[in-house]
Amino acid sequence: MRQRTPTMSADGYFAFMQAIGELAPREDTPILMASTEGIEQFSPPVFASFCSSDGRSFIERLTTYKPLIGPMEFLLVEEEKALSVELSCTETQTQTPSFLVECEIAFLVNML
């Protein structure tokens, strides 16, 4: 049966990102991908987060909507004077590709 919308399992997504990382011609590819001008225009959850009044609100909104973007979630860990963001995926036991982690970190820094 043909699917009406494109879908990808978490394992498939991780394999896809691993392949991109292996084929990337430059070490700064995650930064280039994450800082592409207008990237927030393509994703309503990212755009909603981008419209936040400050960085903390941005991270909190993105944490709420991240599962709509892909098979991952951000976990916020609040400490006395710090807020940490952890990347998590409960849909698979596959190790998160380092290329994907680099892209996510570069994306967060670029958006903030």
Side-chain angles (χ1 to χ4, degrees):
M1 181 175 167
R2 189 172 168 185
Q3 294 180 353
R4 292 182 183 255
T5 58
T7 60
M8 188 179 292
S9 69
D11 288 328
Y13 180 71
F14 280 20
F16 175 69
M17 292 303 289
Q18 179 70 34
I20 290 174
E22 290 172 1
L23 296 171
R26 299 169 42 167
E27 285 186 16
D28 62 346
T29 298
I31 295 169
L32 295 171
M33 287 177 59
S35 60
T36 300
E37 188 172 321
I39 194 167
E40 71 281 352
Q41 296 174 7
F42 301 108
S43 172
V46 173
F47 185 75
S49 300
F50 187 67
C51 292
S52 298
S53 60
D54 58 33
R56 181 182 204 82
S57 297
F58 168 82
I59 294 290
E60 289 170 351
R61 280 188 189 175
L62 192 58
T63 297
T64 300
Y65 299 124
K66 184 69 175 163
L68 297 174
I69 301 169
M72 298 169 299
E73 62 183 348
F74 288 144
L75 304 174
L76 298 182
V77 179
E78 191 162 0
E79 298 169 5
E80 189 174 320
K81 293 186 178 185
L83 180 66
S84 300
V85 180
E86 295 179 9
L87 186 62
S88 175
C89 180
T90 58
E91 294 181 32
T92 182
Q93 297 300 315
T94 304
Q95 183 176 352
T96 306
S98 59
F99 180 78
L100 177 56
V101 174
E102 292 168 8
C103 286
E104 292 293 330
I105 291 169
F107 170 75
L108 284 174
V109 170
N110 180 62
M111 293 301 289
L112 289 171

